Amino acid sequence: MEERVIISMMHCYFIALGVMIGGCFIGSIGAFATGEPPLTAIKRISNGIRIWAIIAAIGGTFDAISNFEKGIYQGATFDVIKQILIIVAAMGGVKTALLIIGWFIQEDIS
């Protein structure tokens, strides 16, 4: 059973990483096409899509809420711990993407 948790965590990590990097770089193409500076747009977009990358990685909020509800009301603590680990993995993917984007644009993203 724990192998499945690790696999889910890895999926969420890389989904969040991909949403952040892909969203920022593809979004900067639109900024370039409209005459805005693309590196500034990358920084602005990266600040705006952090939470959406986490939500996309965990598969939406309803599933996470229903797992928390099942854990609290039915005593399934493993489901609550699994959801927390998945959310932490998605947050790690976002943080890694912010580090890579910061290296690329040579600015601090906080």
Side-chain angles (χ1 to χ4, degrees):
M1 190 69 157
E2 64 229 12
E3 292 175 6
R4 189 72 187 147
V5 174
I6 293 172
I7 291 171
S8 296
M9 287 175 62
M10 288 182 66
H11 286 176
C12 286
Y13 175 85
F14 285 107
I15 289 170
L17 180 78
V19 167
M20 283 294 294
I21 290 177
C24 289
F25 289 130
I26 298 298
S28 71
I29 294 172
F32 178 73
T34 59
E36 296 178 30
L39 296 179
T40 305
I42 289 174
K43 183 176 181 180
R44 181 180 44 82
I45 292 168
S46 69
N47 286 326
I49 65 171
R50 291 178 186 181
I51 190 69
W52 298 110
I54 295 170
I55 290 172
I58 64 173
T61 57
F62 183 74
D63 189 38
I65 291 171
S66 67
N67 282 339
F68 278 124
E69 179 185 16
K70 184 167 58 168
I72 292 170
Y73 292 127
Q74 296 177 1
T77 56
F78 180 73
D79 290 332
V80 173
I81 292 170
K82 178 182 173 184
Q83 280 302 113
I84 290 170
L85 289 174
I86 286 173
I87 291 169
V88 168
M91 291 172 76
V94 167
K95 186 62 178 174
T96 304
L98 288 173
L99 183 65
I100 293 169
I101 292 167
W103 287 341
F104 180 75
I105 66 172
Q106 295 294 308
E107 287 187 27
D108 184 33
I109 301 174
S110 55

